[in-house]
Amino acid sequence: MQLLCFPDEEVDKGDYLLVTDRVKQRSLIVQVIDIQYANIPGILEDLLRDGISEGSLSGDEVDPFKVSSQIRVLKDTRLLVGKIRGAIENGRITRDVAWLPSRNHSHVEAMPAKLFLENLSSRHAFEIGSSHRFPHINSDLAALDGRLNIVTGRKGTGKSHLTKLLVTSLVHEGAPVVVLDVNGEYVNLGRSTDGREMHLSPKIISLIPGLNLRFSLSQVGLSTLLGTLIYALALPENSARIFSRIWRDLERQNQLTMTALGAAIANADCHESIKDALQARFNTLDDSGIFTDDARTALNLEELFRNHSTGCALVVNMKNQYSALRRIIVELLISKFTDLLSRQKLRALFLFAEEAHLYLRETYWDDVVTRMRHLGLFTTFVTNQPDTIQSSIYRQADNVFLFNFSNEHDLEIVSKVAKVDSDTIRMVVRDLPPHRCLVIGDVVANFPLVVNVRSLEIQTLGATRYFFEDALAIA
Ligand SMILES: Nc1ncnc2c1ncn2[C@@H]1O[C@H](COP(=O)(O)OP(=O)(O)OP(=O)(O)O)[C@@H](O)[C@H]1O
Ligand SMILES: [Mg+2]
């Protein structure tokens, strides 16, 4: 739908308008996705004439028909390109619209905040931010439950900030959350900007590989460890067979320790090349420090979740870890989580994965959408490189938070999101300033909304470090 907008009327991209047919008593809900000049015949000619004559002519302007003031208005009249998102009939919002309002008897107004926000309110509300029309936008946390979500946008636009808001809101409502944190920027979620501990603090548990993130071999189990060796450490298949044999022997003798495993590999009766391959992987695992023979120092996830039944966020700090180790950690953790979920030890788990391509195995992407989701593992992918997320994830995502992209290639990828038309994404996303995002999906009751993400009182870390202090003002 196209609408004319006069110079004294203020509209932003993303605004919702109500076009009410006064005779039929029903209204269309229209979202503005682009703002252009109205190209009225003759206006260009008039603008050109202005440009040529400016300053070169003197004297009084003769305007016998008094049209110059009207022409001035027309020059600044804008054409709004809108998408019809629904209608209000008999006081209720509907999605099926098969009619157009009369051009004679309709009037256009901004959509009243109350009407719009009522639609979003819920039992598990959290304040996501504001827009210039709606000072407080509350969204529904339950709309993240059981869902697949994506947060993406250019560098430094506020993705991690929004993720922190989602994580703290979920923990606040009692949900178990895990954050795979590649930059070590989530560890202080429980502290205020001046370093004080806040009420959420005891619920934010930072897991540091080798320190309090350690596993015993029996906890991990053969199949998970084999998967890790083959995938994260590229162990050839024939060596994997020998490894299984060694493992089973140790298991029979009740000797599943790193020390015994190291000795058994050194004494294994097999070809030298296989032994070398096994030894090299064993050394990597051993050096990583994430395996322990002392069951008391091993991380007991089941107990941890049980002790924090009123919500917690486990922040897996993978800062400064090399890539194979990150893969090992994620492999082990995901297998533990799916185990807990399938044994009903955990009802559900919200997983936030920043830059998942750095550590997530190829075959896991499909798993995340299908198998793991049915088990209760609900993932949110966060990235500044949209092409690292597989296109099937875009098509299936239930909620998408899009920050600015201006590059055509990136826009092309994010416009694959199935929940909204690609025009909306292209037109709105490329003009978004930092800290503002287009929210699509269930969290906004499927009415795409441009939101200024609210600020947080917590220490967010993760801000880019600059050499020249005054370069700080990216925004
Ligand atoms: N809504 C907001 N209100 C106030 N400050 C914000 C907001 N969003 C982001 N910031 C600040 O802007 C900076 C960049 O934000 P953030 O780290 O979330 O960006 P990012 O998109 O995750 O960047 P990168 O791609 O580098 O990870 C941070 O210092 C953050 O605290
Ligand atoms: Mg970030």
Side-chain angles (χ1 to χ4, degrees), residues 101-115:
S102 153
R103 293 210 252 202
N104 288 314
H105 319 293
S106 294
H107 72 271
V108 181
E109 62 186 325
M111 180 134 179
K114 187 163 173 292
L115 201 62

Side-chain angles (χ1 to χ4, degrees), residues 232-294:
L233 297 176
L235 184 74
E237 213 173 294
N238 49 359
S239 309
R241 265 198 303 277
I242 305 286
F243 184 84
S244 310
R245 210 181 63 204
I246 295 176
W247 178 285
R248 293 217 176 82
D249 285 345
L250 289 176
E251 207 169 25
R252 254 194 309 277
Q253 299 157 21
N254 214 357
Q255 289 225 318
L256 267 184
T257 61
M258 282 302 271
T259 326
L261 183 62
I265 290 174
N267 300 323
D269 177 20
C270 62
H271 197 277
E272 275 309 306
S273 65
I274 293 183
K275 193 184 284 189
D276 286 347
L278 286 176
Q279 202 113 45
R281 270 58 170 205
F282 174 80
N283 290 341
T284 309
L285 292 185
D286 202 23
D287 292 344
S288 72
I290 54 174
F291 290 95
T292 172
D293 288 344
D294 182 356

Side-chain angles (χ1 to χ4, degrees), residues 153-164 183 185-186 354-355 382-384 403 434-436 452-456 460-464 474-475:
R154 226 158 25 89
K155 259 173 73 64
T157 43
K159 301 175 297 295
S160 305
H161 179 95
L162 171 70
T163 310
K164 286 162 195 166
N183 298 316
E185 56 178 309
Y186 289 82
E354 279 235 13
E355 305 303 342
V382 185
T383 184
N384 57 29
F403 287 84
H435 309 176
R436 192 180 295 176
N452 295 313
V453 178
R454 79 169 164 89
S455 57
L456 291 168
T460 45
L461 298 176
T464 308
I474 256 199

